[in-house]
Amino acid sequence: MHEFQYRNGELHCEEVPLSKIAAKYGTPCYVYSHRTIRDHYQKLDQALGELDHTICYAVKANSNLAVLRTIASLGGGFDVVSKGEIERVVAVGGDHHRCIFAGVGKTIREIEFALRLGIYAFNIESEAELERINSVARRLRKRAPISIRVNPNVDAKTHAKITTGTYENKFGIAFERIKQVYQKASRLSHIDIKGIQMHIGSQLTTADPFEGAVTKMAPLVRELRERYHIEFFSIGGGLGIVYNPALESGRPSWWRKPQAANILTPESYAQRLVPLLKPLGVRILVEPGRFIAGNAGVLVTQVEYIKKTGKKNFVIVNAAMNDLIRPAFYEAHHDIVPTRKKPGAKISSDVVGPICETGDTFCKDRPLPRVKEGDYLAILSAGAYAFVMASNYNTRPMPAEIMVNGKRASVVRERETAASLWAPERIPSWIK
Ligand SMILES: *Cc1c(COP(=O)(O)O)cnc(C)c1O
């Protein structure tokens, strides 16, 4: 479910018209629905209700402090991949005892920081990292809680840039080697074995790869529980979302039918996995990022020009690939709709940004309502891996972020200013 719906022809986020937000705060801007984030968290929490479980939100998907505070207030934990992300969790009063620290390249400084703070577990991605964590812990006279990330060699059949669970990927330790690595960990003086982890990829739209991986892992989890008394099994994140959502009410005619029949829901995910997970007798961690935040945000932009060339109708907008790189980077589909409903025939359009890159294209040859200069468009499903991947390319200040809760819209990150972009830069005195 998400809270972006037309009412009286105006696209709303919860109770607030997006055009009103755009007029007040300017464009491009990201708009997030607080209620949607909560709803997604709670749906997953309920679906896993039969299990002793913890939802560790993947901070990298959307790390805005207001989003993190929302998760913290729901009692969630966090999956972090850098010292900076841990610091964000601490900044919002999140529980660092519910943080798991993933990533193949943890530095000594990051390990020290996490050990001193006291996190739930390090997800170990290599034998070299295991040794490094042991030696840092010894030096600090601490014990490091760890789980080892297993690469179950299951193809998640998602986009090549977001599949992580096969031996082609840099992540985790090969399934066949894993017992030896646990044995090694058990002999290290400053390591506490706490759990086991897997994460096979992102934007999975069926339960099959999860089921395959959990089935493959189950005997191993049992064995590790017997042998090392592990207390958790993290099954990673990766729950996919619908990038072409149909509105539940006020659905415009041009909206394509979603492939809703086979889409992964918290219920279908739980239905397939809970029977496999429950008998394992350990706590289950899940690390959703996209599922929580993806459909909880949109990028609102304004049409600058309409440019017709030959057969093409270019809609040039004021958002660009620096604001939302997913179409350029992952060939991702994002639905694009006017914030004011437009009846009438559609016209095949390319929605493009102002940057001098052919990749600065949000969609190609897509039937869209006829829009004109000044109209606002909403690029949907832009709550995850969107703002967090933004850059300042072309000295473009990053967009404002707004969070809506019911009738209220609040700025949760100010639009950057040009001067703030070059504030860290220095001109050496020897340049005349
Ligand atoms: C990125 C990542 C996640 C979140 O993935 P989503 O597809 O956003 O759910 C979870 N766990 C790990 C280890 C990750 O790297």
Side-chain angles (χ1 to χ4, degrees), residues 205-360:
T205 50
T206 78
D208 296 346
F210 290 114
E211 192 173 40
V214 169
T215 304
K216 190 166 175 184
M217 296 276 285
L220 179 62
V221 174
R222 286 203 172 87
E223 191 178 329
L224 296 175
R225 197 194 62 196
E226 300 288 308
R227 203 172 277 194
Y228 307 112
H229 310 288
I230 62 165
E231 62 183 54
F232 75 83
F233 172 24
S234 172
I235 60 172
L239 285 99
I241 61 166
V242 183
Y243 275 93
N244 51 346
L247 297 189
E248 281 151 33
S249 64
R251 172 156 136 195
S253 58
W254 66 82
W255 231 295
R256 278 168 310 154
K257 266 207 156 79
Q259 312 112 342
N262 56 6
I263 192 65
L264 206 55
T265 62
E267 294 75 25
S268 62
Y269 174 80
Q271 201 173 21
R272 297 275 291 278
L273 298 183
V274 169
L276 301 172
L277 294 169
K278 194 160 184 190
L280 299 178
V282 292
R283 176 177 305 149
I284 301 301
L285 268 53
V286 283
E287 308 164 359
R290 191 189 311 270
F291 171 76
I292 302 281
N295 276 331
V298 301
L299 174 60
V300 182
T301 184
Q302 191 165 28
V303 177
E304 291 289 347
Y305 299 100
I306 304 294
K307 175 171 172 177
K308 288 197 199 308
T309 61
K311 287 178 233 146
K312 286 278 194 184
N313 181 52
F314 288 105
V315 178
I316 303 172
V317 297
N318 68 356
M321 64 189 289
N322 75 293
D323 303 307
L324 177 67
I325 203 169
R326 298 192 68 263
F329 194 42
Y330 304 114
E331 294 144 352
H333 172 99
H334 285 266
D335 266 7
I336 302 176
V337 298
T339 64
R340 169 112 212 126
K341 211 168 177 173
K342 299 248 171 194
K346 287 170 280 178
I347 171 169
S348 177
S349 307
D350 287 22
V351 177
V352 301
I355 291 180
C356 185
E357 291 263 359
T358 309
D360 189 19

